[in-house]
Amino acid sequence: MRFGIVVFPGTWSDTDCHHAVNGVLGQEAGYIWHKETLLSGYDCIVLPGGFSYGDYLRPGAMAGLSPIMDAVKDFADSGGLVIGICNGFQILCESGLLPGALLRNKHLEYRCQWTNLRTERVDTPFTLACEPGQVLKVPVSHGEGNYYADAATLDHLESEGLVLFRYCEPSGEVTPRANPNGAARNIAGIVNAQGNVLGMMPHPERCCEEILGSVDGSLLFQSIVESVK
Amino acid sequence: MPVTQEQLDEIALTRAEYDLIVDRLDREPNPVELGMFGALWSEHCAYKHSAPLLRLLPSRSPHVLSRQGAENAGAVDLGDGLVAVFKVESHNHPSAVEPLQGAATGVGGIVRDILAMGARPVALLNSLRFGPLDDPANRHLFQGVVGGISWYGNCIGVPDVAGEIYFDPCYSQNPLVNAMCVGLVEREKLATASAGAQGNVLLLVGSGTGRDGIHGASGLASRTFEEDQELRPTVQVGNPFLEKVLIEACLEALGTGWVRGIQDLGAAGLTSASIESAARAGRGVILDVSRIPRRERDMTSYEVMLSESQERMLLIVPPEGVPHVREVFEKWDVACTEIGFVTAEPEATVVDGAQTVASVPVTHLANPPRYRLKGSPSPDYQERQRLSLSDVTLEGLHPETVLLSLLASGNIASREPVFRRYDHQVQTNTVEGPGSDAAVLRLKGTDATRAMELWNGEEGEERGGPRNWAGNGGNGPKTGRWGRDTMEKAIALSIDGNGRYCYLDPYHGGQIAVAEVCRNLSCSGATPVALTDCLNFGDPGRPDVYYQLEWCVRGMAYACRALGVPVVSGNVSLYNESMGQAIFPTPIVGGLGIIEDVNKRVGSAFPSEGMVVALIGDYINRPRASDLAGSEYLQVIHGKLAGRPVIVAEYERRLQALCRRAIEERLVASAHDCSDGGLAIALAESCIRGGVGFSSSVNWPARWDAALFGERQSRIVVSLPQSAWPDLERLVAESGIPARRLGTTGGDRFRLGRLLDLSLAEVASAWHHGLEDTVRGGGQDLEEGL
């Protein structure tokens, strides 16, 4: 399969994502410059982390208006897989592909640290290689990853099973202590109603090799590969 | 019209230097020309007072590809066609005035130095010094500096992998902010900062030019200051987003093959960038200031030439290459302007449209006067060194309370509250991050074996994948996993310095600075290859300060020769004083080492229960006063700064070789340098990081303070399986360095014979929370707030 990795000015996880899917998993991958308007020949689009447009205005706000985003919306509408990581999650929220917003971390600090994620569903294209409730060790690195939505939206996400990952203890228990940024209901990642668009703050591309401290991130990419087969 | 003293003061030139300029030009310089001289002849650019000393440092080795001072950063060959480029630089004075922007632009500046070598920046390190945090002014500086490094470094996607922070009253109002950057480039793509052939076009790329930072080099960085408010406009303002885009655009432009030279605009801005490039090529330049994009109105030629606006680079391109290079910058939406060209005549000419505003021979500008000053120790120098063990009473002290106090002290407590604010993982090369003795970065693409699939579909089956001491994977997925067996090469990086030691004894202190950074690298398993240094000192015009500078450099040079490592780049920051008090002489040394196989590395954490813990190097059985010299123990517990630290460089060399060999032969599972706080602190840190207890049955000497908390040099704590002990003993015997078993890991207590028995949780809590409370960013505590 072929991954398409979108590059905005200020994106910095593009090469990390490329290394994870191509260098480690051996899948094809190409970069897509944000000024392009067509997407063809890709099975999954990755919106990587970084500081697109320097996070000026709001994280993801400017990138959400980049020429490529219309094509990404069309791609998602036609059922294509889209994964937004960190800044990519912020862009998905800003462009309306996912509900809610990412606020400044509650403690007001940037945080780069390992977190544990409880996998809430394994019947999505992003998690089918995981076990139900499996705890994944994946790092975060952001200043604005505090997921927020109004109570009705949160309830809707919960009732529809759209929360895919929650920050938790290594045991899987969801506690305030395990929450690195103050996110509502410990939400680390959500999918859209169709289940083909995932936004998550943690960085799975940073943990696909033993040498980096965890290989749990590769389960996500492997799930995508399996689901496209 | 003769120049006034006021004009000379503004650019920090002396009357004698002015007379020299008049003599060389055979006329009075006009104001623009004088400004150019002031900038290029500033201490910051010209090393007027330090150059003769810097020549004492060895700068060559078979690995070294650059000539010291000839390029923007040092370059060393890593093999496999790869070159590492690195340098450390200070941004002390701007950070004192405006900490957030000062630190941020310090990071930005050093990154562009690396970019100017054609290299991709792959790692940042930093060394910081502040006054004690109980003073709100110091807290303001601390928060600003850490915030600035976090803001800028995180945004540009370069991991901040290692660093150090110390507190002492001498740094109040004059914090030290030293930033180091490491870049990687393929050997044949190493760039130069030379102007090349006549007719080459000068392209200014990046940010518009404003009035920020004018006189930054001559004013802020080259003299002392007491009233800082009025200097605020001389601090530059950073735009990390533009820096990130500039990095990508410049690397892509270099990839076109049309760039003949590249130079960053740092101190003294366009003046130094263009003239240094021209001087390297033995040519001249013509610059037209009217073409330079500005972000402020009515700027004079003088202001444009001396502006230190950030995020600008100068590219030197032959005329036929300009369209190709321009195309790259258009793609990235970065300004790219032809501002002049290279001339055969070695004259620096500045025009404003049709009018010539400055015309000076390049050699006059590029050859500043050099001064060899004379130093002498301060009158109380010998008094400081006087210390006997009988001056240090053990009365009323208990080893447990001393240990806990030291663990929680500002200079020893966990730095996690700081480094968790820096992205240390981006680029996915960091295999040992901050908190280890040295950071370790694997080099992608150097692995001998191909990526391979290790997919185990069966539940409960033994997983494939490499085994090593340090990386123990995630939480163990229930189904299969992908892995990859690698034998990649790695680089280890560390930065270190100890102003207290240098204050007490500059010669030994300078040696220790070099020895310690190399020891950190050796503790990770790396062979030290090259160093970079930043010399932070007071006003060299004072004999005692010059004495410190000279003897620190001599000590560093001696240790470099003994350990076989050259200094390939560096920076000097003088005039670090406020209210008439000089800072401690603080040479900061950054080091780079190579690990041939990344799997043969160790961290500082004890990896598991049941490991033998041993000390290689001297076990302090018969304490000496020098063991306590300048120690954290003496400072924190007794409020004393005294003694004479010593080191024997040849012994250090053998110790480090022993440590590296033990790691290479996979005998030891962890290695940790005994430094601040001595042996007991090193043991506690290895326990805390490994989450495992330790018990020692050693019969400690009566002077337990020296044995546990003395900072005698050349000692490393290692852990190893019992089965490896005979092999280690064999290596130890061959090396002539002593080793001593101290105890065994295990349990949840931290026990040192009859002296000390604490729960590991209590020990860990003291260490974890030492800095935590003072550095909290002001937000809500999550544990309580949710």
Side-chain angles (χ1 to χ4, degrees):
Chain A
M1 72 165 288
R2 188 166 164 81
F3 286 87
I5 300 164
V6 181
V7 183
F8 301 94
T11 294
W12 46 231
S13 276
D14 45 346
T15 52
D16 296 354
C17 289
H18 193 282
H19 177 73
V21 299
N22 177 263
V24 181
L25 269 74
Q27 302 298 315
E28 283 183 53
Y31 294 113
I32 303 162
W33 185 236
H34 72 112
K35 289 178 187 171
E36 289 176 31
T37 52
L38 285 175
L39 287 175
S40 67
Y42 297 106
D43 303 298
C44 175
I45 297 301
V46 182
L47 302 180
F51 284 69
S52 57
Y53 296 93
D55 275 2
Y56 294 139
L57 189 56
R58 283 187 313 277
M62 312 270 279
L65 302 172
S66 258
I68 193 65
M69 285 311 293
D70 284 334
V72 172
K73 281 177 201 161
D74 291 344
F75 182 83
D77 286 346
S78 61
L81 297 182
V82 177
I83 172 170
I85 299 165
C86 195
N87 192 223
F89 187 11
Q90 294 163 339
I91 294 168
L92 288 173
C93 290
E94 283 288 343
S95 60
L97 280 163
L98 290 172
L102 283 312
L103 306 182
R104 185 127 188 244
N105 291 350
K106 198 152 189 171
H107 42 64
L108 308 182
E109 286 183 2
Y110 193 98
R111 281 294 164 84
C112 177
Q113 66 183 62
W114 287 97
T115 61
N116 294 289
L117 306 180
R118 193 172 75 191
T119 312
E120 302 288 49
R121 274 176 63 183
V122 294
D123 58 346
T124 76
F126 306 102
T127 50
L128 57 81
C130 303
E131 288 281 291
Q134 186 173 346
V135 176
L136 308 178
K137 185 185 169 195
V138 184
V140 293
S141 184
H142 58 245
E144 308 190 41
N146 175 1
Y147 184 75
Y148 173 83
D150 59 35
T153 306
L154 290 172
D155 289 341
H156 175 75
L157 288 173
E158 302 271 13
S159 63
E160 297 297 310
L162 304 181
V163 176
L164 199 56
F165 298 114
R166 261 185 246 273
Y167 301 110
C168 67
E169 301 289 336
S171 65
E173 192 190 351
V174 174
T175 65
R177 195 179 64 169
N179 186 338
N181 52 32
R185 304 186 191 181
N186 280 41
I187 290 174
I190 57 172
V191 289
N192 64 350
Q194 294 70 39
N196 65 322
V197 176
L198 164 66
M200 64 189 293
M201 288 313 296
H203 288 272
E205 80 283 3
R206 294 187 179 188
C207 49
C208 295
E209 296 164 87
E210 287 281 2
I211 199 171
L212 299 176
S214 164
V215 293
D216 293 352
S218 57
L219 286 172
L220 267 84
F221 296 114
Q222 175 56 19
S223 296
I224 294 169
V225 174
E226 298 274 305
S227 74
V228 167
K229 264 183 196 164
Chain B
M1 193 178 64
V3 70
T4 64
Q5 190 60 44
E6 201 178 322
Q7 283 171 296
L8 289 177
D9 284 349
E10 193 177 36
I11 53 173
L13 286 181
T14 65
R15 178 65 64 175
E17 285 166 341
Y18 181 77
D19 292 342
L20 181 63
I21 293 166
V22 173
D23 192 44
R24 283 193 186 173
L25 293 179
D26 204 19
R27 63 177 169 84
E28 303 264 339
N30 70 34
V32 176
E33 292 165 340
L34 186 59
M36 290 163 66
F37 273 103
L40 282 172
W41 287 16
S42 67
E43 184 63 38
H44 192 80
C45 293
Y47 301 101
K48 279 186 292 200
H49 297 101
S50 52
L53 292 177
L54 296 179
R55 278 197 286 272
L56 297 172
L57 296 166
S59 61
R60 309 303 292 265
S61 89
H63 282 283
V64 178
L65 299 174
S66 55
R67 218 154 44 79
Q68 199 191 4
E71 292 285 351
N72 285 291
V76 293
D77 193 347
L78 299 176
D80 291 287
L82 273 178
V83 171
V85 172
F86 66 107
K87 185 183 181 182
V88 60
E89 197 163 68
S90 64
H91 232 214
N92 304 339
H93 300 290
S95 302
V97 178
E98 212 298 295
L100 190 138
Q101 290 294 343
T105 55
V107 172
I110 194 68
V111 164
R112 288 191 300 282
D113 274 327
I114 298 310
L115 184 58
M117 301 292 288
R120 173 172 290 280
V122 298
L124 290 167
L125 297 86
N126 51 70
S127 175
L128 311 177
R129 299 289 182 279
F130 301 94
L133 290 182
D134 48 13
D135 179 343
N138 291 330
R139 275 209 301 281
H140 164 73
L141 291 173
F142 177 87
Q143 285 292 359
V145 166
V146 171
I149 292 170
S150 169
W151 170 61
Y152 205 98
N154 294 342
C155 189
I156 61 174
V158 182
D160 197 306
V161 297
E164 50 146 29
I165 305 171
Y166 287 95
F167 303 93
D168 191 279
C170 78
Y171 304 111
S172 288
Q173 301 175 358
N174 196 131
L176 301 187
V177 178
N178 290 185
M180 170 172 161
C181 185
V182 184
L184 287 178
V185 56
E186 290 168 44
R187 189 170 170 158
E188 65 273 18
K189 291 186 181 164
L190 195 60
T192 165
S194 169
Q198 173 189 358
N200 280 350
V201 176
L202 305 185
L203 292 174
L204 180 64
V205 300
S207 176
T209 297
R211 287 195 174 89
D212 44 340
I214 292 169
H215 294 160
S218 57
L220 268 184
S222 297
R223 59 184 167 188
T224 57
F225 53 96
E226 302 197 347
E227 194 52 62
D228 57 13
Q229 265 69 17
E230 63 181 274
L231 292 170
R232 190 151 310 201
T234 61
V235 174
Q236 312 87 333
V237 175
N239 177 350
F241 166 62
L242 184 53
E243 178 99 343
K244 167 63 177 163
V245 175
L246 194 60
I247 292 169
E248 299 304 332
C250 284
L251 289 175
E252 198 170 317
L254 285 159
T256 65
W258 285 109
V259 178
R260 299 288 177 265
I262 175 169
Q263 168 78 47
D264 69 303
L265 275 71
L270 201 50
T271 298
S272 88
S274 57
I275 286 162
E276 284 174 12
S277 302
R280 286 187 185 110
R283 305 205 179 264
V285 284
I286 292 184
L287 289 180
D288 185 351
V289 289
S290 72
R291 287 168 159 263
I292 293 170
R294 321 206 175 163
R295 54 184 196 218
E296 288 180 72
R297 283 189 195 168
D298 304 325
M299 287 179 70
T300 63
S301 303
Y302 180 92
E303 288 169 326
V304 171
M305 287 303 292
L306 293 175
S307 162
E308 292 188 6
S309 288
Q310 298 289 293
E311 292 93 20
R312 297 181 300 164
M313 298 288 287
L314 187 68
L315 268 52
I316 295 152
V317 177
E320 63 273 27
V322 170
H324 303 281
V325 171
R326 191 188 289 286
E327 196 182 331
V328 172
F329 287 93
E330 276 167 9
K331 172 191 158 185
W332 286 94
D333 296 316
V334 172
C336 172
T337 314
E338 290 180 43
I339 60 162
F341 55 90
V342 178
T343 61
E345 182 75 13
E347 182 89 2
T349 306
V350 181
V351 300
D352 185 354
Q355 191 196 353
T356 299
V357 295
S359 187
V360 184
V362 168
T363 47
H364 290 354
L365 286 162
N367 289 294
R370 294 274 160 80
Y371 304 110
R372 190 182 279 277
L373 302 176
K374 207 163 158 44
S376 59
S378 73
D380 66 338
Y381 178 62
Q382 285 181 342
E383 189 54 38
R384 262 178 228 163
Q385 294 187 331
R386 199 161 296 152
L387 177 71
S388 95
L389 283 177
S390 56
D391 301 339
V392 184
T393 176
L394 287 180
E395 215 175 289
L397 291 182
H398 191 283
E400 290 182 354
T401 49
V402 172
L403 179 85
L404 293 174
S405 308
L406 287 180
L407 281 171
S409 77
N411 290 340
I412 290 177
S414 168
R415 269 66 185 123
E416 196 188 338
V418 174
F419 66 64
R420 71 186 175 201
R421 296 174 64 181
Y422 306 149
D423 189 336
H424 47 267
Q425 298 174 321
V426 65
Q427 301 191 15
T428 61
N429 296 319
T430 312
V431 296
E432 292 289 339
S436 302
D437 287 26
V440 178
L441 273 69
R442 57 91 179 261
L443 301 174
K444 284 190 190 117
T446 55
D447 48 331
T449 57
R450 300 299 310 154
M452 57 191 250
E453 214 174 276
L454 294 164
W455 178 252
N456 302 317
E458 301 302 315
E459 201 169 336
E461 204 176 273
E462 183 62 34
R463 308 282 170 250
R467 300 249 173 266
N468 59 58
W469 298 110
N472 59 343
N475 294 314
K478 292 287 191 305
T479 64
R481 62 166 59 174
W482 290 72
R484 158 186 158 108
D485 212 349
T486 61
M487 224 197 75
E488 289 164 314
K489 191 177 267 195
I491 52 174
L493 304 169
S494 178
I495 190 164
D496 224 311
N498 186 318
R500 281 211 296 256
Y501 294 163
C502 293
Y503 173 77
L504 294 172
D505 188 325
Y507 186 59
H508 279 107
Q511 288 189 49
I512 292 171
V514 167
E516 182 155 350
V517 77
C518 291
R519 199 184 308 138
N520 288 338
L521 298 174
S522 294
C523 281
S524 73
T527 306
V529 169
L531 307 177
T532 178
D533 69 328
C534 187
L535 303 173
N536 305 276
F537 286 78
D539 177 351
R542 292 173 40 168
D544 58 326
V545 170
Y546 193 77
Y547 177 87
Q548 293 171 334
L549 179 62
E550 175 173 357
W551 285 97
C552 270
V553 172
R554 287 185 185 281
M556 290 167 65
Y558 182 82
C560 283
R561 293 208 162 81
L563 298 174
V565 281
V567 175
V568 295
S569 59
N571 169 243
V572 177
S573 172
L574 303 177
Y575 308 100
N576 287 288
E577 43 193 274
S578 278
M579 308 298 170
Q581 276 294 74
I583 60 161
F584 288 155
T586 314
I588 298 298
V589 183
L592 180 142
I594 297 180
I595 304 176
E596 287 297 330
D597 174 0
V598 67
N599 296 307
K600 290 186 179 173
R601 72 181 193 283
V602 298
S604 60
F606 292 148
S608 59
E609 304 219 329
M611 304 295 266
V612 172
V613 173
L615 179 70
I616 58 175
D618 288 2
Y619 166 76
I620 301 180
N621 208 9
R622 283 187 294 279
R624 303 189 288 248
S626 63
D627 295 334
L628 297 183
S631 66
E632 196 62 25
Y633 161 75
L634 205 58
Q635 180 80 51
V636 171
I637 305 296
H638 297 277
K640 255 191 212 305
L641 174 59
R644 189 170 186 194
V646 294
I647 184 167
V648 179
E650 168 57 21
Y651 186 90
E652 178 75 34
R653 184 188 65 74
R654 284 188 286 142
L655 172 89
Q656 292 185 20
L658 169 64
C659 179
R660 291 196 300 269
R661 184 134 177 238
I663 295 169
E664 163 74 23
E665 294 194 12
R666 292 183 183 254
L667 302 179
V668 301
S670 72
H672 186 23
D673 165 35
C674 279
S675 61
D676 309 289
L679 176 61
I681 297 296
L683 289 166
E685 287 173 344
S686 292
C687 285
I688 297 166
R689 292 197 183 116
V692 61
F694 170 73
S695 177
S696 167
S697 50
V698 168
N699 217 349
W700 302 94
R703 283 311 297 238
W704 52 263
D705 57 340
L708 297 187
F709 306 111
E711 297 180 11
R712 188 183 295 186
Q713 292 299 303
S714 311
R715 298 182 303 151
I716 295 171
V717 170
V718 297
S719 69
L720 61 162
Q722 173 63 43
S723 58
W725 178 251
D727 284 328
L728 184 67
E729 277 193 311
R730 171 179 55 80
L731 291 190
V732 163
E734 286 169 20
S735 70
I737 297 287
R740 183 180 174 122
R741 284 176 77 130
L742 297 177
T744 316
T745 64
D748 58 3
R749 307 289 298 177
F750 183 73
R751 199 170 72 80
L752 300 179
R754 274 180 240 144
L755 286 180
L756 188 158
D757 188 0
L758 291 163
S759 81
L760 182 60
E762 190 181 355
V763 170
S765 172
W767 186 72
H768 280 301
H769 294 293
L771 262 190
E772 179 90 44
D773 299 339
T774 35
V775 305
R776 193 167 285 283
Q780 229 174 317
D781 187 294
L782 286 183
E783 284 175 54
E784 291 155 20
L786 293 176

